Amino acid sequence: VKKIPRVLQYFLVIAASSTVVGFFLAPLVLHIFGTMPLAGLLNNIWAVPYFDFVVIPLSLFYLLSFVFHLPLTPWIVTVWDHSLDIFVKILTCVESFPSFTLTLPTPHLSQVLIFYAFVFLFFLTRQKRHLIFLSLGFLVSTGIITYQNFLGFDLRITQIDVGQGDAI
């Protein structure tokens, strides 16, 4: 078995971490915004190394040059500013693709809480009966919410004064 190069390992860890965090935040993002921007996963894969290897070192060089009054300070600030301009241009380009936003049904807050309780108990408990109860709770809440959406609780009553009587 060949050993994976260290740089590739670094990018694989970033990609895996970004995917896992995106998966765990998806229900909350869907609940709040109603859509899931997939560009964020892609942006994290390149943005984290960019900040690690370009922006943060330039920021530290600037701080040191500013503290010690080095003549390189204006040059470092210029390079740092251009590096952030490049970052924003790439970010804007990736975000402009319309296919990178996933629109799914908005989960109810109870479903989001049940999901996080399920994940929490999945990793912390050995008793699977808790997971069964949470799974049943998720299914019941999904059924109730679907039933409410199907019925459409948008009842409106209009009262009109027609002179001699009322029309409701």
Side-chain angles (χ1 to χ4, degrees):
V1 176
K2 291 184 177 181
K3 188 176 177 184
I4 298 173
R6 196 155 181 82
V7 173
L8 184 58
Q9 286 178 357
Y10 178 76
F11 284 107
L12 289 175
V13 167
I14 290 172
S17 301
S18 177
T19 304
V20 168
V21 168
F23 172 74
F24 285 115
L25 288 178
L28 193 59
V29 170
L30 281 171
H31 173 71
I32 294 171
F33 300 109
T35 61
M36 184 66 196
L38 299 176
L41 297 173
L42 180 63
N43 281 332
N44 283 340
I45 293 171
W46 68 267
V48 171
Y50 188 83
F51 265 77
D52 283 352
F53 296 119
V54 177
V55 176
I56 292 175
L58 284 172
S59 300
L60 291 174
F61 289 143
Y62 169 70
L63 180 66
L64 290 173
S65 69
F66 182 77
V67 168
F68 294 113
H69 303 290
L70 299 176
L72 295 173
T73 304
W75 180 81
I76 293 173
V77 169
T78 303
V79 173
W80 180 79
D81 188 46
H82 287 303
S83 72
L84 287 180
D85 287 341
I86 292 169
F87 173 80
V88 170
K89 286 179 183 176
I90 295 172
L91 186 69
T92 304
C93 180
V94 172
E95 297 268 336
S96 69
F97 297 127
S99 63
F100 280 133
T101 301
L102 186 63
T103 303
L104 296 171
T106 304
H108 193 268
L109 181 60
S110 65
Q111 293 172 314
V112 173
L113 294 175
I114 289 172
F115 172 79
Y116 287 119
F118 182 84
V119 169
F120 181 75
L121 287 176
F122 180 80
F123 288 110
L124 293 180
T125 186
R126 301 270 187 244
Q127 297 177 358
K128 299 303 177 194
R129 68 174 182 213
H130 297 300
L131 300 178
I132 292 171
F133 287 129
L134 282 174
S135 298
L136 288 174
F138 183 75
L139 290 173
V140 168
S141 70
T142 302
I144 290 170
I145 292 164
T146 304
Y147 182 70
Q148 288 176 345
N149 289 339
F150 176 73
L151 288 179
F153 287 103
D154 58 347
L155 176 66
R156 292 186 350 195
I157 298 174
T158 305
Q159 182 176 3
I160 303 171
D161 182 10
V162 292
Q164 294 290 327
D166 291 329
I168 299 175

